[in-house]
Amino acid sequence: QEGQPIYLAVKGVVFDVTSGKEFCGKGAPYNALVGKDSTRGVAKMSLDPADLTRDTTGLTEEELKSLDDIFNNVYKAKYPIVGYTSRRILNEDGSPNLDFKPEDQPHFSIKDEF
């Protein structure tokens, strides 16, 4: 909706991509990525609905390298982190993931209850 923030997740990290609405907003080329964890689509550079998932199973070395490059040099470099998907901060049984480490952005702090 107009005036609402635009969020998308990559590798379980939720970014506010509102400042890039010409790329991710309604009717924009990458709008299919928003509102979900689109890790696979980013890795494959695919907007196919079947690829708009967090699943990285079967990705090639080249696709995984591309994913890391885009994650670090585009998303982390340009957009603020506003949260994390539950799969990143919780274990399958719902208990806290003690290995969870927030991404290093100075304007983001994680609350103790996580």
Side-chain angles (χ1 to χ4, degrees):
Q1 292 182 325
E2 190 66 36
Q4 296 296 310
I6 303 169
Y7 296 154
L8 72 80
V10 178
K11 294 173 66 170
V13 179
V14 181
F15 295 94
D16 181 342
V17 297
T18 306
S19 65
K21 68 181 174 183
E22 67 274 12
F23 303 108
C24 298
K26 187 174 182 177
Y30 301 111
N31 181 255
L33 300 174
V34 305
K36 60 185 79 64
D37 189 327
S38 297
T39 299
R40 185 178 198 82
V42 170
K44 294 182 73 158
M45 302 220 175
S46 170
L47 297 175
D48 182 326
D51 289 329
L52 302 180
T53 177
R54 65 175 180 79
D55 185 18
T56 58
T57 305
L59 291 178
T60 66
E61 290 283 326
E62 186 176 307
E63 289 167 335
L64 291 170
K65 182 181 180 330
S66 175
L67 172 63
D68 285 342
D69 289 346
I70 294 168
F71 178 77
N72 288 310
N73 300 322
V74 176
Y75 292 105
K76 276 184 66 179
K78 292 174 92 171
Y79 302 112
I81 294 171
V82 294
Y84 299 91
T85 62
S86 62
R87 291 193 178 267
R88 180 140 179 167
I89 61 173
L90 300 176
N91 295 315
E92 290 292 321
D93 65 1
S95 64
N97 175 0
L98 299 178
D99 295 325
F100 170 71
K101 302 282 186 279
E103 296 299 320
D104 58 354
Q105 284 198 357
H107 59 276
F108 185 84
S109 61
I110 190 156
K111 296 179 182 177
D112 288 337
E113 67 257 26
F114 292 122

